Every structure is written in structure tokens, then in C-alpha cells.
Amino acid sequence: MNRNHSYSQKSDIPTHWYNIMADYPEFYVPHLDSTTHQPVNVHSLSNIFPELLAEQEINRKDVNIPIPPELLDYYAMWRPSPLIRARNLEKYLDTNCKIFYKYEGVSPIGSHKANSAIAQAYFSKKCGFTNVVAETGAGQWGSAMSMASSFFDLNCNVFMVKNSFDSKPQRRILMQTYGSKVHSSPSNLTEFGRQIRKNDPDSQGSLGIAIAEAVEYASSDRNTVYTLGSSMNFVCLHQTIIGNELKNQLNSLQITPNYIISCIGGGSSFAGICFPFLREKLERNRDLHFIAVESNAVPTVTKGIYTYDYGDTARLTPLSKMYTLGHEFSAPVIHSGGLRYHGLSPLVSKFIADGHAEARAYSQLDIYGAARLFAKLEGYVPAPESAHSVKAAIDVALENRNSGKTIVFCLTGHGFFDLAGYEKFNAGKMEDSESPDTNIHESLRKLAHTVRPETEKGAALPPQPPLNAGVQANNSFEAWWNRNFESQSPADSFQSGHTIGSAGASPKTACGREQDKGNPNLYNLLTESKVRELIDKGQKVAFLSKGCVITPLAGELIKSHGIEIKYA
Amino acid sequence: MNRNHSYSQKSDIPTHWYNIMADYPEFYVPHLDSTTHQPVNVHSLSNIFPELLAEQEINRKDVNIPIPPELLDYYAMWRPSPLIRARNLEKYLDTNCKIFYKYEGVSPIGSHKANSAIAQAYFSKKCGFTNVVAETGAGQWGSAMSMASSFFDLNCNVFMVKNSFDSKPQRRILMQTYGSKVHSSPSNLTEFGRQIRKNDPDSQGSLGIAIAEAVEYASSDRNTVYTLGSSMNFVCLHQTIIGNELKNQLNSLQITPNYIISCIGGGSSFAGICFPFLREKLERNRDLHFIAVESNAVPTVTKGIYTYDYGDTARLTPLSKMYTLGHEFSAPVIHSGGLRYHGLSPLVSKFIADGHAEARAYSQLDIYGAARLFAKLEGYVPAPESAHSVKAAIDVALENRNSGKTIVFCLTGHGFFDLAGYEKFNAGKMEDSESPDTNIHESLRKLAHTVRPETEKGAALPPQPPLNAGVQANNSFEAWWNRNFESQSPADSFQSGHTIGSAGASPKTACGREQDKGNPNLYNLLTESKVRELIDKGQKVAFLSKGCVITPLAGELIKSHGIEIKYA
């Protein structure tokens, strides 16, 4: 008997998060304020996020950040998550590779998202906020944030991508059971949502749109703060509890991994499980490979470019340097809703761009085939996002069949809310994915158009950027940009009237949020409804903070009613 | 910091099951063959179950039965299940009681049912069967058996109560993903199902009907064996891994429990978590209370009687002494589908009847209120069945607010497939449960009618049995029976033409199943379709094993076609 399927004990729970930016300074690739093109700082980030998270976002001094004891109590409700050996899968594949999976589906909401949600709820509460807003694609982040809000007694509003809202009522009910209000996005609650619905009444929504709605919604109320389920540096930081814990577990088994695999949507699970092992690879010279797995419907790395772009479709966020398909990229509707994001965590992007990881893209049929096989052999039914890692692990095991290598992948969550996809697959009715290259070209052209300097607007569109530029040619966008715009460097040439998070000097709350409690008219985001309020009150002047976003409909109203704009 | 939420480590996994019948001989209350009224033996039980399970069913010699190593490997995929302290709930209730929950929802199919499913699949395989059949109410057992069948490469057919089949497509898809065939019960696949559909085309099904269909289906093929998710002694045995594991976990924390709570449908989770602690209570004189929690819609203990009854509606099973509402009891449709069973495990019944445990019944509104509160405080969304234990734990904590007692309850599974109920509750549209007493009277009258001796048939129906007889008056049925039938003792007076499992002497397979491989016409169960086969082949004689069940429609056909019956 060689029974080593599962390993978890209380002492395995890490007490610290791992901060790769402090360990390897080159990972600090700052977000840029979209107006000033200056790196954002804690002050400007605090316009969107709680100051304590804003600090984590740019922390370059603490390699190991202690997890607050109260948070550890919450983590201990489901952590350590089990590390399970996939013996049946190994046998089926007839490989002498050892395959392990780190199963994050044991969290109450069924995925790794809970790891960052409780941290964000905790820090939001610490900073005095009473309300949070979240966007959600597949429903994982919305569920996680709903649970975390319930734990910390915060009101929670969730903008859920319409396609998921309609197809996953269970996710909606779960969030409502925790006490959240759930809105189908695009919604009528935000001006951006109304605009999208006006232009495209059949819009199925996207993560980019939902983020824009959530940011707009949060900005309109001083007690409300925005939460984000992936991509940001602080989210990656929180998720490193997975990798730190995995290290403890592998150490206690005296096993050294050769492959670590996770899927990438926003990138946080990949960051979480891989980052803590980078030192092993770089300094201990281990035979260790990292693999990031994406959907071929949203091939951010394998067909996108590495450049500065907005995190959301409405361009309300700062600019981040990342792999992107362009913030207006409209991903096909796939069952892996969590991977339908045009961008990728700047840290994970840098990690891949620097050659530390390989990226692979799989089709929907590929991953459902792997997921069903895995369910039949190992019992756990993977979420479609997680199924990407299953597929990669199987491929790696087959490629290295007799090598005796150790493969570890992150099974980020279960698929109990994704069974409609399994039904289609079981019935042979699953449609395959893959975005046509023309769509990607089109989106990347728009991106170039958006980020070109104002003066260039009349000029012909630039030639198509090279596809498949991702891993092989990390600086392809810069090269392409320089070919076409010569002296301009990308970061210097962004122009946009849309920005939140400018480095203004407005008054701040104790936790650093830019707000003027004394002057209710000092806006960070001026929406149509706010202008209507002013008009209704007979006010003729709107006081705005520096860098305030004025939405287009608000702008029209200001014009037509002759409202005067004054900046603080 | 006092962080003791979760405790689990590999060494906690028990290596043995606990057999209460060997430890306390009075728990052996044999099933009776419904024809001979003799206690069933391994031989006769092997007509329904694999011989190795039949042996466990009546094992009175081994207190601790070793778990086969191969099974331990499977258990280790999700065991030890976490023991979690409900600190938030304690705080909310303002009690100094310690509340712990043993969370079985971490199994791949999300409930404790997996514990017995892999054991039944393992022993079925060992006994040479290639196909298994399962019935399922809420879908938990069907899912568990589907997964287990996939692990051990068995074909699996599941009869799923129609009401659940229609309202829980996700459960169906899950079973199909593991490779099972799932049938809505009552189905057209069995004669019993066809009869029910003929009599009541709108039948919503019941666990009793589904069991009857599964038994009939299994009996019609020699390579197919029936599996049962609760109630049987061997199922209770397998589930004791929960209690044994809990013991290890509590020991390592140096905590002694004062209350152990689980819900009762068939009773296996209650048996599993409580039985291993009986010795603590009886011989170590611990201040320890066991609480069994049922639905007031199916108040088997609190309003039923303790007597011999059939396990299924079609009377194909042996007779078992248990709390029952009568095998024809038609439970109202409630969200806790797993509790919609007219009977209760004979072992658990004896446990309660002997005064070792208290029974409580709650309404649907009660338990959803408790479940939602628990989800908001502790994150985990309970299955409605499990929510009964949550409600009881809350009540016990409030009743003993300042006592410092330790309460442990079994959170048997998650409610991810039961969110429709939560939606109704959240919207204030949840209907309350509770079976009218008149329904219970009516069913118990029928039971008396069924089990009365043949000679009594013309007599007037007996007076209504006392309700609320359960715990308070354990022998009420016997008393009532004696009042009405005097000299007849219940066990002696059963008469029925329906039986499987008679103590005949037919040839057996290696693993003891009564089958005559040489004579394909030697039936254990004679159904309409089998008679039609004989007629089609022009055969005039049907050879039956002793105690063969002839279904009513088969009987009519035999009569109308003048088929001769010969018993082996």
C-alpha cells in the first residue's frame, strides 16, 4: 500500500503572502495614470481601492507580508486545501510521471477566489468602507466577494456578465443567499451600462464592461469601494497562499516539482501557485517549468501583444502593461467565463514575457474532454476554467511519459455550477471555440488607434500587429509601435479623456480615499444621473476633482443645460 | 489569536469501520424474510446484495472491521474531512458553547454518501458484478454511486425520483458525466414503475418507489446488483468512518463532545457520526447526548411507530424492524429530498428506541432560516437535509447558552444543487412543510392492514395507532397490536406473496448470489416482460426459485395465457 493521495494539516497553512515585486524588483512595472502617464501611487490608487490594498499594489520592500491573524482564522475554515495525487489518471495515461493537483474547490464558494475576497473585504472594512462592488464573469468572484462581505458585514453589489447571469441562475442565488444584490451587466444602474445597452440591446456583456460598471458604481458613493477578483498585484499577492502552502506540503513529502501549471484568465491563480517557486527555479537551478494555460477563444498571451492597455472597456482604470487583445476585444461566449478577459495580470504578463513560463492555448472541446476524463477517474468535476490545467497536465504527462517527472497543477474550482457545459459535451453538442484572427486584428487595431497621440488621429490605421507574438517575441508591440510611430514611446503617447486615479491633491479620508466630505459636489466620476441631480437642485456649477471622469451623456447634459465645470 | 477552526491530517483517517452489532449484541434486530418470517441470512441476503456486503449486514463478531487498503486510497482523496469550529455562529448566538461541524461536503460529489458508495462499488466488483443499480432521492446517492462505479469500472443505472429528476437537472448531468444512465422514477423500465404510472400518471415518485424499481431492475439480470444509499446495517457501518475520524480529531484537540447531532432520512449519517461514541456515553459515563433530526413532513420517529415494515413501496425487500410511517406513506414534496423516506435504518431505530438518542422534527421554514444564517456566518451553504442539523445545533446552543458545552454536528453535504429552495426562501415564497396527521393515520392503517394475518382481512380496520408514539413510547406499536390482535405477535403474523431473499437452496455464484446459470428460466422476480418472453418463445412453464416475486401484471398474464408455475 502506497497511500499518499492527500496531505493537509493545520501547520501547513502559511502565515505570510509572497510579494514577488520585493523579491525581484524587475517585476515592478507600474500602472500609469492615463492622464499624466506617471506611475500611479498609493494616493491615486486610493481613488479606486482601499489604501491598505493600494499599498500592497506597489509594495516593493516586503518580500513576505504577514497575513493578519483574523484573516488566518477565516483561511483556516477551508485551508490547507488538499494536495491530491492523481493516481488513477497516472495509471490511465500509462505514465511514470507523478501528477498532483492542489484542489482549491474546497473553499465554501468552490474556488480559489475566496483567498483574495476575504482579504479585500477585511482591508475594505479596515479602511472604513461599508459597501463593496464586484464584477463577476463566471460567478466565482461575485460568489467569493458576496461570502466575504457577509463575513465582514459589508453591503455588496455584484455586476454579473449578462451571459452568465442568464445561464447560471444558481450562481446568482448563491450570491443573493449571502445577502448581495446582483445585477445583470450591462445594467441600467450605470451610465456606461445604459450606453452599451443603447448601442447594442442584445449585448451579452463582458468582464471589461462589468468592471467598468463596477468602477463607475463605486466611484459614485464615498462609502463604496471597488473589489477586483484578479489581475491586480494585490490579488496575486493574496493568492500566493496557494503556492506557499503547496511548498510546505511538497517539503513534507520531500517532493520537488518539475512542472507547475495553472490556467490564466486574469492570472491570479497562476500567480498564486507559481510565484513562490520562482526562486527555486532561478537560484536553486531546479528543473522546474511553469505553464500558463488559456482558452484559444481568448488567446491573450499566445496571440495578443505585451503593451500598456486599460483594464476595462470603458477606460476608467489606469493603464497597465500586460498581454492584451485590446480592451474592446469581444470574446466569443464560452463556458469558461472566467477566462473571457482581454488582458492579463501585469505581474503574470511580466513573468511570461521574461521567459519564466510557457503559455498554451486549448479549445473548448479539448478541455471538456480532459475534464470529463478527470471526473471519471478522480471524482472531482473541474470548473471549465480549471479544466484548462487538467488538459495541460495530461499533455505534459504524455510528452514526458517515462521521465518520472512530477507535475503539479492547480484545480482552481469545481464545476457544479457549470454542468450545462458538461451536458452539451456529453451529448456531443459542444461547439468548439477559437476566436478568428480577424477579430483579434481588429481589436488590436482599435487599441493602437486609442493609444495613438491625438495628432495622429487623421492618419491611416497602422498595419496589423504580428499575431502569435506572445511568448516568442516579447517586445513585438514596442517594435511594431516604433516601426509605425518612430520616436514616440508607447507609454508617453497615451491620450485619453477618461481617467480615474489621477495624482491630484484632493482631501483624503483616514484611509486615503480621495473624497471631500465637506463638499458633496466634488466628483471623481460625473455621470448623467449626478448632473440631473444638480439640475434638479437648480445648481449651475459642478465641482470636480482633478482627473474626474465625465461620462459622455453627462457631458451632453452639461452642455445643453449650461452647467459650469470647476476643478478643485 | 485562538485559531482552531480546522483540523485535519492524514493520520486522522481511520483504518477501521465500527460495527455496533458486535460491540452491543442487542443491536442485532434481524431483517425477516417476508415469506418465512425467519431472520435473513447471508445466503438469502445475497439475492439482493453482494455476499461480502451481506456478511457485513449481519456480522456480529467483529467490532472493528478493517477497511481494505485500496478503499483507503480512495477515502484519502477527500478524507479526513475537516472539523471546523463555527466561531462566527457562536458569536452571533452569544453563547459560550463551542460549536463544531464535521463537513462531509468536501467529497467529490459533495456529501457523505461517497463513503459507502466506494465501499459498495468495491465489494460489488470483488463479487464479480459488472453492473450496479441505484435509486436516488435528492440525487446524492445516485451521484455517489455514479462516481464510485466510474472508479471501479462498473456500469451504473440510476432510478431518480421524478420530482428531483425534473427539478435538479444538474444532479442528472453530474451522474451522466460519470457515465451513468439516469431514469426518472416511476419509469417504464420496470413493471412496478409502469404500474404506478398507469395508476397515477402524475406520480412524482418517492424513494420507496425508486428502491422498488432498482431492486426489480437488478433482479432481472444476474450481472447486476442493487446498491442502497442508507438504512442498511452495512451502509451505517461504512459511514462510521465519520465518527471514528471525528474521535481522532477531537482527541487531538483534547475536546470531549456533549452533543452529537445529525439528520435522519435513511439514517446513515447519524449512525456514522454517533455510533462510535456510544461506548463513551454508556461506559465512560460521559455527559453526551445524541440528537437525530428529521423533517416534520416525514416525521418517521416523532409520529411513526417502531415495528416491522418493508423498505420499499412494492414490498420486494425483507421486513425490517424500524421506525416507519408505513411503506405506502406518500411524503409531501419538500426540498430535503433525502429525508423523504417512510422508514429508518433498523440500527438507528433501535438506537433511538432504546433511549440513546433524542429525535427532533423541524419544518422547512425553520431549517432554511437556519441554513441561510449559517451560510452568511460560516460560508458553507448547507444541503437542506444537512440544514436540519444546523437548526438543531442552533437550538441546543441557545438552550444551553451559558453552559460551555461542546456541540458537534454533521454537515453532511453542500447545497449547490439545492439553490432553487434557497431562492424561494430568499424571496419569501417558501411553503412550509408538515404532513397532516390524517395522512399519517391513513398510511399506518394501511400498514396494519398489510401486515395483519390473512385470516383477519375481513375484519374491521384497527383503531388509529397513537401518534407521537415515537421516542416516548417505544413499544407502542406492539402494545397497539396486542390490544387489537391479542395473541398474534407482529413478527409472526406477516403475510405477503411478495418477497425477494427467501432462504431457498438455489445454486449460487462464487460470491453467493442465488442464480441458476444453467437454467435461464429460474426466476427470482417474474415480471410482465419476462412472461411475455416465455409466451413469445412458446414456452408453457415458468420455473421459479423459492420465494420468487410474481408481479401483479405478470400474474394476470400467467392466468390469461395458462402458463404453468413450477418452483425449484
Side-chain angles (χ1 to χ4, degrees):
Chain A
M1 186 171 77
N2 184 3
R3 175 159 56 90
N4 58 343
H5 273 91
S6 176
Y7 318 93
S8 62
Q9 50 189 71
K10 192 183 159 201
S11 58
D12 288 332
I13 303 180
T15 53
H16 291 73
W17 291 307
Y18 170 72
N19 179 13
I20 198 170
M21 290 186 295
D23 209 11
Y24 294 98
E26 69 268 26
F27 276 92
Y28 175 72
V29 183
H31 309 296
L32 300 182
D33 181 292
S34 58
T35 308
T36 65
H37 302 167
Q38 292 305 303
V40 296
N41 53 29
V42 169
H43 176 85
S44 58
L45 274 173
S46 298
N47 281 335
I48 309 185
F49 299 107
E51 187 175 18
L52 294 168
L53 292 174
E55 279 169 6
Q56 292 177 354
E57 185 67 15
I58 58 172
N59 183 319
R60 281 176 284 168
K61 62 181 202 302
D62 308 305
V63 175
N64 294 301
I65 297 180
I67 301 171
E70 195 184 346
L71 267 185
L72 280 175
D73 273 353
Y74 280 98
Y75 278 136
M77 291 167 85
W78 66 90
R79 305 209 72 89
S81 70
L83 175 66
I84 306 173
R85 178 136 177 217
R87 282 196 182 279
N88 296 338
L89 181 62
E90 290 171 14
K91 201 172 156 192
Y92 178 90
L93 297 176
D94 190 22
T95 174
N96 69 1
C97 287
K98 291 187 193 73
I99 307 176
F100 291 87
Y101 51 103
K102 178 83 174 145
Y103 183 47
E104 291 291 310
V106 292
S107 88
I109 51 94
S111 84
H112 70 292
K113 295 286 183 184
N115 297 330
S116 185
I118 56 167
Q120 292 190 44
Y122 173 82
F123 290 117
S124 296
K125 187 85 177 181
K126 280 264 172 214
C127 286
F129 294 99
T130 55
N131 308 307
V132 296
V133 192
E135 90 292 334
T136 199
Q140 299 273 23
W141 178 244
S143 304
M145 213 45 228
S146 295
M147 177 185 77
S149 299
S150 177
F151 286 167
F152 291 96
D153 201 20
L154 295 160
N155 297 308
C156 180
N157 276 274
V158 180
F159 289 88
M160 184 174 189
V161 175
K162 182 175 188 304
N163 170 254
S164 288
F165 186 92
D166 293 343
S167 64
K168 294 188 168 183
Q170 289 84 9
R171 276 280 177 205
R172 171 182 53 76
I173 301 168
L174 180 62
M175 294 184 255
Q176 289 168 334
T177 297
Y178 289 126
S180 291
K181 290 200 181 72
V182 187
H183 316 288
S184 176
S185 167
S187 76
N188 276 324
L189 286 177
T190 67
E191 191 174 323
F192 186 69
R194 286 189 293 271
Q195 246 181 284
I196 297 274
R197 288 163 69 112
K198 197 174 154 193
N199 296 339
D200 177 9
D202 297 327
S203 169
Q204 290 300 298
S206 73
L207 217 45
I209 294 171
I211 293 174
E213 286 210 278
V215 171
E216 181 185 326
Y217 189 88
S219 301
S220 62
D221 176 65
R222 67 184 52 174
N223 297 313
T224 303
V225 74
Y226 172 58
T227 67
L228 187 54
S230 193
S231 189
M232 301 299 289
N233 303 344
F234 63 79
V235 184
C236 294
L237 176 78
H238 303 153
Q239 294 294 355
T240 59
I241 193 167
I242 304 174
N244 278 340
E245 195 174 276
L246 174 63
K247 256 187 174 172
N248 294 345
Q249 291 171 316
L250 290 174
N251 283 344
S252 76
L253 293 168
Q254 299 182 292
I255 286 177
T256 52
N258 300 111
Y259 291 88
I260 302 182
I261 300 169
S262 199
C263 61
I264 47 170
S268 70
S269 76
F270 179 89
I273 197 167
C274 294
F275 286 3
F277 287 88
L278 183 58
R279 186 168 285 279
E280 307 280 310
K281 181 186 171 81
L282 295 185
E283 290 171 35
R284 300 203 183 118
N285 211 16
R286 290 266 162 76
D287 172 26
L288 178 55
H289 307 268
F290 302 104
I291 302 179
V293 196
E294 61 187 11
S295 164
N296 72 351
V298 196
T300 312
V301 176
T302 52
K303 293 195 176 177
I305 53 180
Y306 182 50
T307 187
Y308 274 96
D309 192 6
Y310 295 93
D312 72 319
T313 309
R315 291 181 264 155
L316 299 180
T317 65
L319 291 155
S320 301
K321 188 163 185 186
M322 59 184 178
Y323 283 101
T324 181
L325 294 165
H327 59 270
E328 290 191 56
F329 178 70
S330 175
V333 171
I334 52 171
H335 288 280
S336 308
L339 306 188
R340 284 184 75 225
Y341 183 54
H342 69 274
L344 176 65
S345 147
L347 288 177
V348 174
S349 294
K350 175 75 177 161
F351 194 91
I352 296 172
D354 283 0
H356 300 311
E358 169 196 351
R360 297 188 179 195
Y362 289 113
S363 82
Q364 190 157 256
L365 280 175
D366 287 338
I367 64 103
Y368 267 98
R372 189 177 173 183
L373 176 69
F374 187 81
K376 285 173 74 75
L377 294 168
E378 298 290 327
Y380 294 101
V381 175
E385 293 82 359
S386 322
H388 288 74
S389 309
V390 177
K391 171 65 177 157
I394 290 173
D395 280 5
V396 170
L398 292 176
E399 291 157 13
N400 299 276
R401 186 173 252 151
N402 300 311
S403 66
K405 303 266 181 179
T406 297
I407 301 161
V408 183
F409 69 92
C410 190
L411 192 67
T412 51
H414 62 62
F416 290 155
F417 296 106
D418 306 279
L419 287 165
Y422 279 91
E423 175 150 67
K424 276 193 199 164
F425 183 80
N426 295 343
K429 290 179 182 165
M430 170 70 73
E431 60 282 12
D432 209 350
S433 53
E434 185 157 16
S435 283
D437 282 355
T438 49
N439 287 8
I440 297 170
H441 280 282
E442 180 58 27
S443 173
L444 290 175
R445 272 177 200 245
K446 279 187 193 166
L447 171 62
H449 191 65
T450 310
V451 299
R452 272 186 311 158
E454 211 55 33
T455 52
E456 291 279 329
K457 270 210 172 148
L461 284 174
Q464 293 174 7
L467 292 186
N468 293 305
V471 192
Q472 292 74 29
N474 299 319
N475 289 310
S476 60
F477 182 70
E478 277 83 353
W480 163 75
W481 183 282
N482 287 333
R483 272 203 306 283
N484 291 284
F485 304 99
E486 291 173 0
S487 64
Q488 306 274 3
S489 101
D492 290 344
S493 56
F494 291 118
Q495 289 290 341
S496 171
H498 293 78
T499 176
I500 272 193
S502 85
S506 313
K508 296 170 57 182
T509 64
C511 250
R513 187 122 198 255
E514 185 176 323
Q515 284 171 345
D516 182 357
K517 300 223 175 194
N519 184 350
N521 290 344
L522 190 62
Y523 295 109
N524 289 322
L525 175 77
L526 193 60
T527 61
E528 182 193 10
S529 58
K530 293 290 170 192
V531 181
R532 284 209 189 284
E533 272 177 27
L534 294 179
I535 293 166
D536 290 348
K537 290 181 188 161
Q539 295 185 10
K540 288 286 177 191
V541 184
F543 294 93
L544 310 187
S545 66
K546 229 185 217 176
C548 168
V549 174
I550 305 173
T551 66
L553 292 183
E556 283 173 24
L557 218 53
I558 286 168
K559 224 177 192 173
S560 64
H561 285 72
I563 306 279
E564 190 185 349
I565 295 295
K566 285 194 179 169
Y567 285 90
Chain B
M1 185 170 79
N2 184 3
R3 175 158 56 88
N4 57 343
H5 272 91
S6 176
Y7 317 92
S8 63
Q9 50 189 72
K10 193 183 157 200
S11 57
D12 288 332
I13 303 180
T15 54
H16 292 71
W17 292 307
Y18 169 72
N19 179 15
I20 198 170
M21 290 185 296
D23 209 10
Y24 294 97
E26 69 269 25
F27 277 92
Y28 175 71
V29 182
H31 308 295
L32 301 182
D33 181 292
S34 57
T35 308
T36 65
H37 301 169
Q38 293 305 304
V40 296
N41 54 28
V42 169
H43 176 85
S44 58
L45 274 173
S46 297
N47 281 335
I48 310 185
F49 299 108
E51 188 176 18
L52 294 168
L53 292 175
E55 279 169 6
Q56 292 177 355
E57 184 68 13
I58 58 171
N59 184 318
R60 281 175 285 166
K61 62 180 202 301
D62 308 305
V63 175
N64 293 301
I65 297 180
I67 301 171
E70 194 183 344
L71 266 186
L72 279 176
D73 274 353
Y74 279 99
Y75 279 136
M77 291 167 86
W78 67 89
R79 306 209 71 89
S81 70
L83 175 67
I84 306 174
R85 177 135 178 217
R87 281 197 182 280
N88 296 338
L89 181 61
E90 290 171 14
K91 201 172 155 192
Y92 177 89
L93 297 176
D94 190 22
T95 174
N96 69 1
C97 287
K98 291 186 193 74
I99 306 175
F100 291 87
Y101 51 103
K102 178 83 174 144
Y103 183 47
E104 291 291 310
V106 292
S107 88
I109 51 94
S111 83
H112 70 293
K113 296 284 183 186
N115 296 330
S116 185
I118 57 167
Q120 291 190 45
Y122 172 83
F123 290 115
S124 297
K125 187 84 178 181
K126 279 266 172 211
C127 286
F129 293 99
T130 54
N131 309 307
V132 295
V133 192
E135 91 292 334
T136 200
Q140 299 274 22
W141 178 244
S143 305
M145 213 45 229
S146 296
M147 178 186 78
S149 299
S150 177
F151 286 167
F152 291 97
D153 202 20
L154 295 160
N155 297 310
C156 180
N157 276 274
V158 180
F159 289 89
M160 185 175 189
V161 176
K162 182 175 188 301
N163 169 255
S164 289
F165 185 92
D166 293 343
S167 64
K168 292 188 168 181
Q170 289 85 8
R171 276 280 176 204
R172 171 182 53 74
I173 302 168
L174 180 62
M175 294 183 255
Q176 290 167 335
T177 299
Y178 289 126
S180 292
K181 290 199 180 72
V182 187
H183 316 289
S184 175
S185 168
S187 77
N188 276 324
L189 285 177
T190 68
E191 191 176 322
F192 187 69
R194 287 190 292 272
Q195 244 182 283
I196 298 275
R197 287 163 69 114
K198 198 175 153 194
N199 296 339
D200 178 9
D202 296 328
S203 168
Q204 291 299 298
S206 73
L207 217 44
I209 294 171
I211 292 174
E213 286 211 279
V215 171
E216 180 186 327
Y217 189 89
S219 301
S220 63
D221 176 65
R222 69 184 51 173
N223 297 313
T224 303
V225 74
Y226 172 58
T227 67
L228 187 55
S230 194
S231 189
M232 301 300 288
N233 303 344
F234 63 78
V235 184
C236 294
L237 176 77
H238 303 153
Q239 294 295 355
T240 58
I241 194 168
I242 304 173
N244 278 340
E245 194 174 277
L246 175 62
K247 255 187 175 173
N248 293 346
Q249 291 171 316
L250 290 174
N251 284 343
S252 77
L253 292 169
Q254 300 181 290
I255 286 177
T256 53
N258 299 111
Y259 291 88
I260 303 182
I261 300 168
S262 199
C263 60
I264 47 170
S268 71
S269 76
F270 179 88
I273 197 167
C274 293
F275 285 4
F277 286 88
L278 183 58
R279 187 168 285 279
E280 307 280 310
K281 181 186 170 80
L282 296 185
E283 290 170 35
R284 300 205 183 116
N285 211 16
R286 289 266 161 77
D287 172 25
L288 177 55
H289 307 268
F290 301 105
I291 302 178
V293 196
E294 61 187 11
S295 165
N296 72 351
V298 197
T300 312
V301 175
T302 52
K303 294 197 175 176
I305 53 180
Y306 182 50
T307 188
Y308 274 95
D309 192 7
Y310 295 94
D312 71 318
T313 308
R315 291 181 265 154
L316 299 179
T317 63
L319 292 155
S320 301
K321 189 163 184 187
M322 59 184 177
Y323 282 101
T324 180
L325 294 166
H327 58 269
E328 290 191 55
F329 179 71
S330 175
V333 172
I334 52 171
H335 288 281
S336 307
L339 305 189
R340 285 185 74 226
Y341 183 55
H342 69 273
L344 176 65
S345 148
L347 289 178
V348 175
S349 293
K350 175 75 176 160
F351 194 91
I352 296 173
D354 284 0
H356 300 312
E358 168 197 351
R360 295 188 181 198
Y362 289 112
S363 81
Q364 189 157 257
L365 281 175
D366 285 339
I367 64 103
Y368 267 97
R372 189 176 175 184
L373 176 68
F374 186 81
K376 287 175 72 76
L377 293 168
E378 297 290 327
Y380 294 102
V381 176
E385 292 84 0
S386 323
H388 288 74
S389 309
V390 177
K391 171 64 178 158
I394 290 173
D395 280 4
V396 169
L398 292 177
E399 291 158 13
N400 299 276
R401 186 172 254 151
N402 300 311
S403 66
K405 304 265 181 180
T406 297
I407 302 161
V408 183
F409 69 92
C410 190
L411 193 68
T412 52
H414 61 63
F416 290 156
F417 295 106
D418 307 280
L419 287 165
Y422 279 92
E423 175 149 65
K424 276 194 198 163
F425 184 80
N426 295 342
K429 290 179 184 166
M430 170 70 73
E431 61 281 12
D432 209 349
S433 52
E434 184 157 17
S435 283
D437 282 354
T438 49
N439 286 9
I440 297 170
H441 280 281
E442 180 57 27
S443 173
L444 290 175
R445 273 175 199 247
K446 279 187 195 168
L447 172 60
H449 191 64
T450 310
V451 299
R452 272 186 311 157
E454 210 58 30
T455 52
E456 291 280 329
K457 271 211 171 148
L461 284 174
Q464 292 174 8
L467 292 185
N468 293 304
V471 192
Q472 292 74 28
N474 299 318
N475 289 311
S476 60
F477 182 70
E478 277 82 353
W480 164 76
W481 183 281
N482 287 333
R483 271 202 308 281
N484 290 284
F485 304 101
E486 294 172 0
S487 64
Q488 307 272 3
S489 100
D492 290 344
S493 57
F494 290 119
Q495 289 290 341
S496 171
H498 293 81
T499 175
I500 270 190
S502 86
S506 314
K508 296 171 57 181
T509 62
C511 249
R513 188 123 198 253
E514 184 177 322
Q515 282 171 349
D516 182 357
K517 300 225 176 193
N519 183 351
N521 289 344
L522 189 62
Y523 295 108
N524 290 322
L525 175 78
L526 192 60
T527 60
E528 181 193 11
S529 58
K530 293 289 170 191
V531 181
R532 283 209 189 283
E533 272 177 28
L534 294 179
I535 294 166
D536 291 348
K537 288 180 188 160
Q539 295 185 10
K540 288 286 176 191
V541 184
F543 295 92
L544 310 187
S545 67
K546 229 185 215 174
C548 168
V549 174
I550 305 173
T551 65
L553 291 183
E556 284 173 24
L557 219 53
I558 285 168
K559 223 176 192 174
S560 63
H561 286 71
I563 307 279
E564 191 186 347
I565 296 295
K566 285 194 180 170
Y567 285 90

